[in-house]
Amino acid sequence: MESPTLDDFVAWNDQLAALIRAGVPLDVGLDAPGKDVAETLERITATVARRVGRGESLREAIEDDDRSVPPAYRSLVELGLRSGNLSAALNDSNRVAESIDDSRYVIQSSFIYPLVVCFLAFAGLILFCLFFVPTLAAMYQSLRLRPGSGLRVMQWLRETLPYWSAVLPLALVLFLLRLWRTKSRDGASRGRATGFLTLIPGLSQAAFQERCASFAESLASLVESQVPLEDALPLAAGVCGDARLVGAAQSLAAALKQGQVPDDNDPAATGFPPFLRWAMLHSEATVGRPRALQMAADLYRQAAQRREERLRIVAPIVVCVVLGGSATLLYGLSLFVPVVQLLRALAS
């Protein structure tokens, strides 16, 4: 297979910048804002072209440890160079990014209905403070009853109404503005699970399984291209972009370079999920390592898709119950507690 040339690399970078500007989710390790991706890729292209002009090969120019070339991007290009197809190297990156973007959309959209409920409860609480509290307080005074704790809380809320009624909407506006600015700056970092999203068990595990699938597919492509396993491991891990897989791949590659074949309980192998571990170390005598790795990729991708489907069902229910239910409960308590305490006072 003919190796890509410098012209192919330049055209690939132009295509990559166009895809990112068009909003296509890609996980290529370029953390610059979307509008600066073209400038970043131009600097990388200029750096690589200068080294090629000095007589280095395209692979040597990419492999040089330069901070101007991000590690994940370098691994992606090296994968394309070693497999002989730069464009095909973007497929796994796009799949991982699309999966994470879909999960992020599910989480964000699950907040829409609860936020509507919270807004209605917030508006109702303001109306209670303006119209219901004075009427109830006058009733207590006319009956010469001592106000209960519920009425005292509502009176305090009425006295502080100018403050909390302005602070909460302002906080919501600032949050939405920050969310919009973050989204507009995503650019090449789209598809990375960041912030509180990484703390959601279903999302984080689905993202890890999708990255395991990406790692397995990249490793299968490199092994089919006759790249030694100890060299292919760090490269495939760099493409998938998961820190756990990167560390595990480096440890396993170091052991293989020393002539060791770790067993399943060896610390150098336990960093990988069981089936992926078998596909890398023990499948050559059965179905063959490339086919086993492709089977592992399909398995982990299907597992990630099943988790995403469960997340689509569970996340809206949980958020609605927790957020919407809490707002509805507080709204109901603000109405019924003062009334119940009045009835109890009249009965006594």
Side-chain angles (χ1 to χ4, degrees), residues 122-142:
F122 181 75
L125 188 60
I126 293 177
L127 294 176
F128 278 173
C129 291
L130 292 177
F131 302 105
F132 178 69
V133 174
T135 302
L136 193 60
M139 185 177 298
Y140 268 94
Q141 186 176 4
S142 64

Side-chain angles (χ1 to χ4, degrees), residues 4-6 9 48 52 56-63 81 86:
T5 64
L6 179 61
F9 174 72
V48 173
V52 172
E56 299 179 15
S57 67
L58 182 58
R59 181 182 300 176
E60 292 172 341
I62 290 294
E63 290 177 348
L81 291 174
L86 284 170

Side-chain angles (χ1 to χ4, degrees), residues 29-52:
L30 298 175
D31 295 327
K35 62 181 180 181
D36 295 335
V37 168
E39 298 178 3
T40 302
L41 290 175
E42 286 178 3
R43 288 195 299 269
I44 294 174
T45 301
T47 301
V48 173
R50 184 171 62 252
R51 291 173 182 161
V52 172

Side-chain angles (χ1 to χ4, degrees), residues 177-192:
L177 180 62
R178 181 178 180 275
L179 186 65
W180 175 80
R181 293 182 61 184
T182 302
K183 185 177 180 180
S184 64
R185 291 199 306 264
D186 270 351
S189 61
R190 284 191 65 188
R192 293 183 179 270

Side-chain angles (χ1 to χ4, degrees), residues 29-214:
L30 298 175
D31 295 327
K35 62 181 180 181
D36 295 335
V37 168
E39 298 178 3
T40 302
L41 290 175
E42 286 178 3
R43 288 195 299 269
I44 294 174
T45 301
T47 301
V48 173
R50 184 171 62 252
R51 291 173 182 161
V52 172
R54 293 201 301 256
E56 299 179 15
S57 67
L58 182 58
R59 181 182 300 176
E60 292 172 341
I62 290 294
E63 290 177 348
D64 195 353
D65 188 12
D66 193 312
R67 293 183 178 180
S68 63
V69 183
Y73 171 85
R74 180 187 293 115
S75 298
L76 187 67
V77 177
E78 287 185 33
L79 173 62
L81 291 174
R82 297 201 180 217
S83 63
N85 191 344
L86 284 170
S87 298
L90 288 176
N91 292 338
D92 292 340
S93 171
N94 176 249
R95 288 178 179 175
V96 173
E98 280 187 342
S99 174
I100 296 175
D101 268 9
D102 289 343
S103 300
R104 181 188 290 114
Y105 174 78
V106 170
I107 297 298
Q108 292 176 349
S109 61
S110 66
F111 281 87
I112 295 177
Y113 178 73
L115 285 177
V116 171
V117 174
C118 290
F119 173 77
L120 294 176
F122 181 75
L125 188 60
I126 293 177
L127 294 176
F128 278 173
C129 291
L130 292 177
F131 302 105
F132 178 69
V133 174
T135 302
L136 193 60
M139 185 177 298
Y140 268 94
Q141 186 176 4
S142 64
L143 295 174
R144 297 181 181 180
L145 297 175
R146 183 180 177 181
S149 59
L151 179 58
R152 291 197 299 270
V153 171
M154 294 300 296
Q155 286 176 326
W156 177 80
L157 288 175
R158 188 174 190 275
E159 292 171 357
T160 59
L161 179 64
Y163 302 102
W164 59 264
S165 64
V167 169
L168 292 180
L170 180 61
L172 179 61
V173 170
L174 292 176
F175 172 76
L176 294 176
L177 180 62
R178 181 178 180 275
L179 186 65
W180 175 80
R181 293 182 61 184
T182 302
K183 185 177 180 180
S184 64
R185 291 199 306 264
D186 270 351
S189 61
R190 284 191 65 188
R192 293 183 179 270
T194 57
F196 78 98
L197 294 174
T198 58
L199 304 177
I200 301 174
L203 177 57
S204 60
Q205 186 65 22
F208 177 70
Q209 289 175 334
E210 193 69 43
R211 293 187 187 281
C212 286
S214 173

